Amino acid sequence: MLTLPKNKFQPFFTDLMGKAVHEKHVFAGFNVFSLDDAYEIVRAAEKIGAPVMLMVNKLAVGLYPIEVWADTLNMLVRHASVPVCAHLDHTTDINVIERACKAGFDSVMFDGSQLPLEENIAQTRRVVELAHGLGVAVEAEIGAVGYSDGAGGKDYKSAMTDPKEAGRFARETHVDWLAVSVGNVHRMETQDAVIDFDLLSQIEKETDVPLVLHGSTGIKDADMKKLLPTHVCKVNIGTALRMAFGNTLRAEFEKNPKAFDRTELFAKPLQMVREEAEKKMVMLGCKGLIG
Ligand code: G3H
Ligand code: ZN
């Protein structure tokens, strides 16, 4: 059981990630698109006593200004009985990162995965200096996690992580958390990803930095459980919850073709989001970490 300091979750979350390298659990980061789904995820985390990360991606930033997101997530952080980390996901624009850091995000991901290595290192270092100066943790990516649906754009190049490059990247950038590409693929609708555990352990020999796997909807349950003793400390999950919400909402419309009330239509889809989030966190060994 972890000791929970009062109302000081961010440094605590960074500590949690560090400790998870040597402990048998992996935290879940979930993409959120509204207060509705963010709240359900926090409810799931509170029910099982798990720290959790709420992640705002580019699509979500297109819905509401980053400052509105910061206040919304921090409101949930304040009311939660478990550590909740407000995280800015996949961002290439350093100005957006700066705004997020100043607005109160706990951590940010700079995504330089499409840049040449030297440029990725140089820009990530800039982000680390900026963010650490404001007390914000930084995740960055080495290698490039692909997209199953082309959402990365037509010129997006995926690449498995080179272990030596990962070691150098971690040493030279001082990132807090490192996203790696070991067979994980974004936006898969089925759990078919082939995770290269041998490559993962080669990366672990090159750096002690907590590792992150993106595209974790596509990872098989058995492989998720195999991640527990590794240095992977967070898995990012988006599509699984989007499917839980959207597929249930479609069924609700089919059942009640004349329904128009939002609270009525959203009740079941949001319940499914909560249950899916709970299932993933239990699978990742997070249940009961916070008493
Ligand atoms: O950064 C977000 C995640 O990598 C989400 O991936 O939608 O494939 O679960 P997913
Ligand atoms: Zn991702």
Side-chain angles (χ1 to χ4, degrees):
M1 176 104 43
L2 300 156
T3 328
L4 180 64
K6 266 207 155 90
N7 301 326
K8 201 69 193 140
F9 290 149
Q10 186 272 322
F12 185 53
F13 210 95
T14 312
D15 287 354
L16 289 182
M17 289 283 281
K19 283 186 193 138
V21 169
H22 305 290
E23 290 173 8
K24 289 196 173 162
H25 53 258
V26 174
F27 297 113
F30 294 107
N31 286 126
V32 296
F33 300 92
S34 73
L35 176 60
D36 286 336
D37 53 5
Y39 181 62
E40 295 303 328
I41 292 162
V42 173
R43 280 180 72 189
E46 287 182 320
K47 180 180 165 204
I48 62 167
V52 72
M53 183 180 280
L54 302 175
M55 309 191 302
V56 172
N57 70 10
K58 217 192 310 174
L59 289 173
V61 171
L63 296 174
Y64 308 106
I66 202 93
E67 291 77 11
V68 171
W69 271 117
D71 285 356
T72 304
L73 297 186
N74 278 310
M75 182 260 297
L76 289 173
V77 169
R78 280 198 309 280
H79 287 278
S81 60
V82 291
V84 177
C85 180
H87 178 77
L88 179 70
D89 201 16
H90 288 288
T91 304
T92 51
D93 183 340
I94 298 185
N95 294 321
V96 174
I97 289 186
E98 184 169 9
R99 275 174 61 197
C101 292
K102 289 182 173 161
F105 273 79
D106 299 315
S107 55
V108 292
M109 181 205 183
F110 172 67
D111 183 350
S113 63
Q114 295 304 288
L115 299 172
L117 178 65
E118 302 300 329
E119 191 61 17
N120 191 4
I121 291 175
Q123 292 207 27
T124 303
R125 280 176 73 123
R126 263 182 71 201
V127 170
V128 169
E129 271 166 36
L130 165 80
H132 283 183
L134 294 163
V136 174
V138 178
E139 175 182 329
E141 183 162 326
I142 186 74
V145 178
Y147 286 83
S148 65
D149 63 353
K154 68 173 171 39
D155 296 326
Y156 189 92
K157 286 191 180 54
S158 51
M160 299 289 256
T161 299
D162 177 287
K164 293 277 179 219
E165 279 185 11
R168 180 182 163 208
F169 188 85
R171 277 193 306 279
E172 295 188 12
T173 61
H174 303 287
V175 279
D176 299 278
W177 314 323
L178 187 56
V180 293
S181 173
V182 293
N184 42 321
V185 178
H186 283 107
R187 291 175 171 248
M188 290 178 75
E189 292 174 30
T190 51
Q191 292 174 278
D192 290 330
V194 180
I195 300 299
D196 186 339
F197 281 91
D198 183 49
L199 177 57
L200 184 59
S201 67
Q202 288 177 48
I203 295 168
E204 290 174 344
K205 288 192 184 104
E206 301 294 333
T207 178
D208 283 336
V209 169
L211 303 176
V212 177
L213 291 192
H214 283 240
S216 300
T217 295
I219 301 179
K220 297 177 185 76
D221 289 358
D223 283 351
M224 289 280 248
K225 289 180 195 149
K226 274 173 73 179
L227 293 174
L228 269 53
T230 71
H231 292 191
V232 173
C233 298
K234 172 174 72 101
V235 291
N236 284 15
I237 300 169
T239 305
L241 299 196
R242 290 189 297 116
M243 288 194 299
F245 184 87
N247 292 338
T248 313
L249 183 61
R250 186 180 313 105
E252 288 297 281
F253 268 118
E254 281 163 9
K255 250 193 323 188
N256 312 297
K258 295 207 169 138
F260 58 82
D261 184 74
R262 174 194 157 95
T263 50
E264 195 186 313
L265 283 164
F266 276 21
K268 191 82 201 278
L270 288 172
Q271 180 193 332
M272 297 314 285
V273 166
R274 185 168 74 242
E275 289 179 8
E276 185 67 20
E278 178 181 338
K279 195 181 92 190
K280 297 285 186 191
M281 288 187 283
V282 169
M283 192 187 324
L284 292 164
C286 293
K287 185 173 178 176
L289 290 176
I290 302 295

